[in-house]
Amino acid sequence: MKPQPAPKWLDEEPLLQKLLHSFVDKLERGVKPVIKVGPKTAPGLYDFQDDVDYLWALVESLDKDYQIITVKMARVKPHQNLYEGAQLVFIPEREELVRQWLNRPALDPYALVWHHELEKLAEAGVNTDALAANMIRLPEMGAEATLRGLVQIGEVLQRPMTLRALSARCFRGDSKVLDRQEALVAELYPELAQNLLPRPLLLAVYLPERVKQIIMVENQDTFVSLSQQPPDQTAIVYSAGFRGSSTRMRDPGNVVFSYLNQSASSRETFERYWFGGEQTLATYFWGDLDYAAMAILKAIRQSFTDARAWQPGYQPMLEQLLSGEGHTTHKGVQPDPTSTGCDFADYSLLPALRRASAYVDQEVVDIERVVAD
């Protein structure tokens, strides 16, 4: 729908322009957008060389014809003008339209404070180029405090720590502010960036006495159930969704394993395969039957090139999906990964997902029956 065009008389009447600008000024200052008619607020209505009746009719037109304001008349004495003391109440929902009429784009208060503070930092000798191009919005903290935290990084990052620890110490205990901002920290403090420690992946593992294959499991309940009655000579890894799909997952020092059950020999075999890159153990992934899990499998295959979807777990889920017993709740928007590189996933699971437009969660599977088969 096209916006309502400005009245032709607006460009010709300074009083009406002044009133509308005053309303927008109040909105930007966070002040209630109300104007009480008087000689200071509406001087044109008190300049009797003008046609004041015509001007007041235009003000009323903003109410009756354009629904920009609401006019609330005051009681007047016989010798007073009809509009004396009237309240003009702006309708906030019409702000965008009035800005278009006045050719006055909306201001961004956060951005204004951000750039104002940047100017002060630049005057103090701080290189602000990266900050000017990368504004971090923390409305609950405010632009000034956010910039203060970014500057504080230079003091705090004098010794090794993780990005989460750095964030918590510079941003009022909030450890997640700097998530996805590691490149910015490195650009701001190139000499200190070497003190950023990688955040290790924490993976829970069940290990049998002998290991011939590995199954990475997406969901916690299924990991626990499968660990209690695992397939023969199978290590079970709780990959915790996307956390297990990191490209760092096979780098020594970037993974911490928490073992539920182990022997010295099986642990040595497992870790030698995991960190050494030897393709001696068959590796599988089992998660929900949805696009997100297929994306996890695709990512895992970047580190474990022979990883495949675990067919014993996925087959009963596939049969349920094909029978029309899938669901669409609590999944949000999941992009189709197109392909994973695993034949079973690419030629059976993904086509079924596309046809059904529904999903099946892995908790539906009877672990005892799957392992027995």
Side-chain angles (χ1 to χ4, degrees), residues 3 25 183 187 269 306 346 355:
D25 290 342
E187 186 174 358
T269 300
D306 289 343
D346 292 348
R355 288 195 300 271

Side-chain angles (χ1 to χ4, degrees), residues 197-269:
L197 300 175
R199 190 178 187 223
L201 303 170
L202 179 60
L203 301 179
V205 182
Y206 164 83
L207 277 183
E209 288 293 325
R210 296 186 61 191
V211 181
K212 286 191 175 180
Q213 67 176 1
I214 297 173
I215 301 175
M216 299 184 195
V217 180
E218 179 183 9
N219 297 331
Q220 177 178 317
D221 287 7
T222 303
F223 165 74
V224 172
S225 298
L226 193 60
S227 297
Q228 291 172 346
Q229 41 189 337
D232 188 41
Q233 298 183 353
T234 300
I236 314 296
V237 178
Y238 176 38
S239 62
F242 277 99
R243 189 170 47 172
S245 66
S246 169
T247 55
R248 300 186 293 111
M249 66 192 301
R250 301 195 78 173
D251 296 340
N254 286 334
V255 176
V256 175
F257 292 115
S258 175
Y259 293 100
L260 304 185
N261 184 5
Q262 62 170 306
S263 68
S265 59
S266 64
R267 176 171 177 171
E268 182 180 349
T269 300

Side-chain angles (χ1 to χ4, degrees), residues 216 244-245 249 285 295-305 307:
M216 299 184 195
S245 66
M249 66 192 301
F285 169 74
I296 294 174
L297 172 60
K298 183 175 183 177
I300 285 176
R301 284 178 54 83
Q302 294 179 21
S303 297
F304 294 86
T305 55

Side-chain angles (χ1 to χ4, degrees), residues 9 16 20 58-64 66-69:
W9 42 257
L16 278 300
L20 292 178
L58 296 182
V59 173
E60 290 186 309
S61 178
L62 293 175
D63 180 352
K64 299 174 182 177
Y66 295 94
Q67 292 76 52
I68 299 295
I69 63 173

Side-chain angles (χ1 to χ4, degrees), residues 78-113:
H79 66 278
Q80 290 181 310
N81 298 308
L82 179 66
Y83 46 76
E84 188 73 39
Q87 283 194 333
L88 311 180
V89 182
F90 186 79
I91 300 174
E93 290 76 13
R94 307 293 274 172
E95 178 183 356
E96 182 177 353
L97 175 63
V98 170
R99 285 186 179 277
Q100 292 175 352
W101 285 5
L102 299 175
N103 192 25
R104 183 173 170 175
L107 295 175
D108 183 346
Y110 191 97
L112 288 175
V113 175

